[in-house]
Amino acid sequence: MAARIALLKYLRVEARPAQLRNPRLIGGSFSQLFRRQFSDEVRGSFLDKDEVRDRVINVVKNFQKVDPSKVVPNAHFQNDLGLDSLDTVEIVMALEEEFVFEIPDNEADKIHSINLAVDFIASHPQAK
Amino acid sequence: MQRGFYRMRLNCCTDIKFFSSSTPLAPIPLPSPKETHLWYVIPNEVKGESLLNKYMEILPPCEKEHVSSMRGDELRKSALLARTLVRTTIARYQINSSIQPRSLKFRKSIHGKPEVDWQHCDHCEPPPLHFNISHTSSLIACGVTINSPIGIDVEAKQRPVKHNVLTLARRYFTEHELHVLTAIKDPHLQHQEFIKLWTLKEAYVKALGGGFSGAPFKTFTVRFGSAIGESPHLSRNSNTEASEISVDMFDDPSDLTSNWQFMLLELAGSHYAAICTEKDVTSEGNKNGPMKLTVWKTIPFVEDKCVSGTEAVRVLCGFR
C-alpha cells in the first residue's frame, strides 16, 4: 500500500507554471517511464541502452591498464585503449560479472569496442 | 594498372635514394621449410623523431592514417613499429628487386588473417612466405616461415592479470589445463605457467588463422610432454620427452592437430614467446626433425643483431 502511494506520488504530474513552460520535460520523462514499463512487459527485461553504456564505460575505466580519459563510447579496445587479446578477454569477463550473464566465445570475439559491447549487452534479455 | 606500376616504381626510386643515407636493410635468404625466423623490436629502444619519421615514410597512406588515428603517443609508436617491422622484415627476403618495404601490399585471408598480397609482384612466382605478428607495449615480434602457416604470441612475463588465473582458466581453458594450473601451489609460478599456456593457445589460434572464435580456447588442450602424469611444470631440459608440446582437439583427438608443432621461448629475459607452425611433411628424411629457429633483434635501418644462442633467447620448450 505504502509502495503504491509512493509510486503514485512519483507518477503524479504537478501542473505548475514552470513545468508547463517546459511541457516536454514532463512529457518526455513520463513517456520514457511508460515506454520502459511497456517494453518490460512485452519484450522481457532488456536493459536501457544508456544505462548499459554508462555501466560498460565504468567497467572499462576501472580496468587497471586503461587510461580513463580515453574511455569514450566509440573507443576501440585495441586501437584506442591499447588492449591486447588477454586484456580483451578480461574485460569481457568483467562485463559478464557486471551484467551477470555469460557471453559465448564466438560473440566475445566480436566485441572489439565499447559500442559493440553496449549493443551486444543491450540486445540480450539475460543481461541484468 | 600500368600507371600505378610506374608511379610505384618512381616511389621506389625515391625511396632508394632516401634510404641510402641510413643503414640499408640487410638482405637475407628465405628460411628453409624446417626453419622459422623471428624478428623482434623493443619499442623503448627506438628513439628519435627523425627515425620515427623515416618509418612513417615507408607506410602507404592508409596505414599512415591508421597509425595517426591511434590515441596517444605510445599507441601510435607501437602501431608504427608494428607496421614497420612487418614491412622491413618481409622486404629483407629480396623476393625480387622491386620489393621495397613501401611497395608491399597486404590483404586479409577469408578468415581475416593478414597475409602478403603478391599480385603487384611483376613476373615473379609468389613465394610461399607466411608471417605473423604479435605485440605487447614492450616488445613487438614478427615470425616468418616458408610453406607453413605460422602463429606467434608474445606476452610480458610479469604482465598483471586482473582476475585470479584459476578463474580465467576455469572460464577459458580446458579441464586438463585447469588441472595442471591448479596443481601449482606457488602463485608466482602459477601466474607464469598461465601466461605460458595463454601464449601457446593464442599462437595456435593465430596459426589456424580463424581468430579467437575460429578455435575457442576451450575446444583444444595444450599439453606438455606425451605421457600422462608427468610433471605439471615445463621441463627446462629439452632432451626429455616432457619438453614436447602438443595440442589435441577436444572433440576429435584423431584430427590434424598432430600436424602442429610448438616452441616456447623466453625473449630478452622479459617476455614469453610462443611459436606455432605446421610440421614439414613434404621433405625427405625425418618427418619430425627439429624445427630450427633463428632470432634477430632489430631496430630497422639502424641495427640488426642475430641473438640466437645468446641469453636473449632461451628455449623453454619445444624443438630446438
Side-chain angles (χ1 to χ4, degrees), chain B residues 262-277:
Chain B
F262 294 83
M263 193 178 271
L264 184 67
L265 322 164
E266 187 193 79
L267 268 186
S270 52
H271 292 73
Y272 292 129
I275 304 171
C276 177
T277 56

Side-chain angles (χ1 to χ4, degrees), chain B:
Chain B
M1 183 69 117
Q2 200 73 357
R3 209 171 345 142
F5 176 72
Y6 286 126
R7 202 185 303 130
M8 180 188 77
R9 256 213 144 144
L10 196 67
N11 283 340
C12 286
C13 293
T14 319
D15 288 344
I16 286 167
K17 250 200 278 180
F18 187 74
F19 291 149
S20 65
S21 60
S22 58
T23 312
L25 294 173
I28 61 162
L30 285 164
S32 71
K34 281 202 198 315
E35 225 184 325
T36 299
H37 287 177
L38 187 72
W39 297 80
Y40 72 90
V41 61
I42 299 203
N44 280 347
E45 295 181 0
V46 179
K47 294 181 165 99
E49 274 307 307
S50 62
L51 186 57
L52 295 176
N53 288 337
K54 230 175 252 188
Y55 294 160
M56 267 303 234
E57 286 304 308
I58 67 168
L59 303 192
C62 56
E63 286 182 19
K64 268 193 192 131
E65 213 179 286
H66 173 77
V67 166
S68 305
S69 74
M70 307 284 275
R71 290 184 206 173
D73 290 337
E74 287 307 310
L75 285 188
R76 264 196 295 275
K77 185 180 176 186
S78 183
L80 174 60
L81 289 178
R83 294 315 302 160
T84 302
L85 182 65
V86 171
R87 285 180 172 275
T88 55
T89 298
I90 295 173
R92 290 169 198 278
Y93 293 103
Q94 290 289 293
I95 311 301
N96 72 46
S97 55
S98 73
I99 302 290
Q100 294 291 329
R102 193 167 203 234
S103 64
L104 285 166
K105 290 209 188 325
F106 295 88
R107 63 173 178 222
K108 296 221 169 127
S109 72
I110 33 167
H111 300 296
K113 185 176 180 183
E115 55 189 31
V116 184
D117 182 353
W118 298 104
Q119 266 176 32
H120 73 292
C121 176
D122 210 41
H123 305 305
C124 70
E125 268 298 305
L129 185 150
H130 295 255
F131 75 94
N132 193 234
I133 189 165
S134 175
H135 43 102
T136 66
S137 54
S138 41
L139 190 146
I140 304 170
C142 180
V144 177
T145 48
I146 279 293
N147 292 333
S148 154
I150 176 173
I152 71 168
D153 189 51
V154 294
E155 300 287 353
K157 280 167 66 173
Q158 302 300 329
R159 74 161 288 153
V161 172
K162 178 184 156 111
H163 293 85
N164 173 276
V165 302
L166 292 183
T167 309
L168 273 164
R170 204 167 289 121
R171 174 76 177 76
Y172 286 100
F173 287 4
T174 62
E175 256 188 68
H176 171 85
E177 290 162 345
L178 174 62
H179 173 73
V180 164
L181 284 174
T182 309
I184 303 170
K185 295 309 171 195
D186 177 74
H188 176 71
L189 209 59
Q190 196 186 64
H191 180 272
Q192 275 191 331
E193 300 302 306
F194 171 81
I195 301 289
K196 287 174 185 170
L197 259 177
W198 182 274
T199 57
L200 285 162
K201 289 173 85 76
E202 186 74 7
Y204 176 64
V205 167
K206 290 176 81 180
L208 288 177
F212 203 65
S213 58
F217 275 20
K218 258 203 191 302
T219 62
F220 63 93
T221 294
V222 168
R223 293 172 192 278
F224 303 108
S226 44
I228 300 166
E230 73 282 338
S231 157
H233 304 292
L234 294 175
S235 167
R236 304 228 155 177
N237 181 355
S238 62
N239 292 327
T240 65
E241 278 291 298
S243 70
E244 192 180 309
I245 307 170
S246 64
V247 65
D248 60 65
M249 295 299 282
F250 190 62
D251 290 334
D252 186 2
S254 66
D255 104 352
L256 324 127
T257 48
S258 58
N259 284 352
W260 300 97
Q261 57 187 353
F262 294 83
M263 193 178 271
L264 184 67
L265 322 164
E266 187 193 79
L267 268 186
S270 52
H271 292 73
Y272 292 129
I275 304 171
C276 177
T277 56
E278 228 171 8
K279 286 180 185 169
D280 170 46
V281 295
T282 55
S283 58
E284 289 174 25
N286 188 2
K287 257 195 218 176
N288 295 322
M291 174 170 76
K292 184 165 175 272
L293 175 72
T294 315
V295 185
W296 287 268
K297 180 173 159 195
T298 178
I299 301 176
F301 304 121
V302 176
E303 184 184 72
D304 300 328
K305 221 193 301 180
C306 180
V307 291
S308 302
T310 71
E311 272 302 298
V313 181
R314 285 178 59 216
V315 179
L316 300 177
C317 228
F319 295 110
R320 272 204 189 278

Side-chain angles (χ1 to χ4, degrees), chain A:
Chain A
M1 191 59 177
R4 189 167 176 274
I5 292 167
L7 192 66
L8 283 172
K9 263 200 190 145
Y10 176 70
L11 284 174
R12 186 163 295 141
V13 173
E14 306 270 355
R16 287 207 200 112
Q19 282 155 334
L20 279 175
R21 261 204 296 274
N22 205 348
R24 223 189 313 162
L25 208 68
I26 300 295
S29 60
F30 183 74
S31 70
Q32 249 181 8
L33 190 69
F34 180 76
R35 201 169 36 236
R36 184 184 294 189
Q37 284 190 319
F38 183 70
S39 64
D40 276 352
E41 284 163 16
V42 172
R43 295 192 295 168
S45 54
F46 289 100
L47 295 173
D48 173 63
K49 210 164 188 178
D50 288 332
E51 185 199 324
V52 171
R53 190 172 292 113
D54 287 344
R55 286 166 69 186
V56 169
I57 284 179
N58 218 39
V59 164
V60 177
K61 271 188 179 169
N62 282 332
F63 200 68
Q64 191 189 25
K65 206 173 156 182
V66 167
D67 175 359
S69 66
K70 290 189 188 157
V71 183
V72 292
N74 65 349
H76 188 278
F77 292 151
Q78 197 186 1
N79 297 340
D80 298 324
L81 306 178
L83 302 179
D84 62 22
S85 55
L86 181 49
D87 295 321
T88 306
V89 156
E90 293 224 81
I91 289 223
V92 167
M93 275 184 74
L95 291 173
E96 287 178 328
E97 285 155 14
E98 169 67 19
F99 291 96
V100 197
F101 84 118
E102 201 168 279
I103 301 174
D105 283 357
N106 60 332
E107 300 288 351
D109 199 21
K110 299 172 196 158
I111 298 178
H112 301 142
S113 69
I114 301 231
N115 275 341
L116 287 171
V118 171
D119 287 344
F120 182 81
I121 294 167
S123 65
H124 275 70
Q126 310 100 303
K128 292 182 180 45

